Amino acid sequence: MNAVTDPETLSELIADCALIPGTLQAESLPQPRVTAKPWQVDEACHAQVAELDAYV
């Protein structure tokens, strides 16, 4: 049995990545069905960090 080792050079890393099966590559993965709503800072969230600079 071969031990799995971390690549020690950039070329070893590239060679390892080339061995990733096509079914696992990002362009062949399914897209998410639901997109998250954009995150917004509300007053309560802003109030939690408003005095952070003074605290640090």
Side-chain angles (χ1 to χ4, degrees):
M1 183 168 126
N2 293 338
V4 176
T5 59
D6 290 334
E8 294 182 13
T9 64
L10 185 56
S11 60
E12 287 179 3
L13 178 60
I14 292 169
D16 287 351
C17 291
L19 299 175
I20 297 174
T23 56
L24 295 178
Q25 293 178 357
E27 54 272 357
S28 65
L29 295 176
Q31 295 297 315
R33 288 184 263 161
V34 178
T35 57
K37 293 180 182 177
W39 184 73
Q40 295 181 359
V41 177
D42 60 13
E43 293 298 321
C45 182
H46 184 269
Q48 290 179 353
V49 296
E51 303 296 323
L52 185 60
D53 288 335
Y55 178 73
V56 176

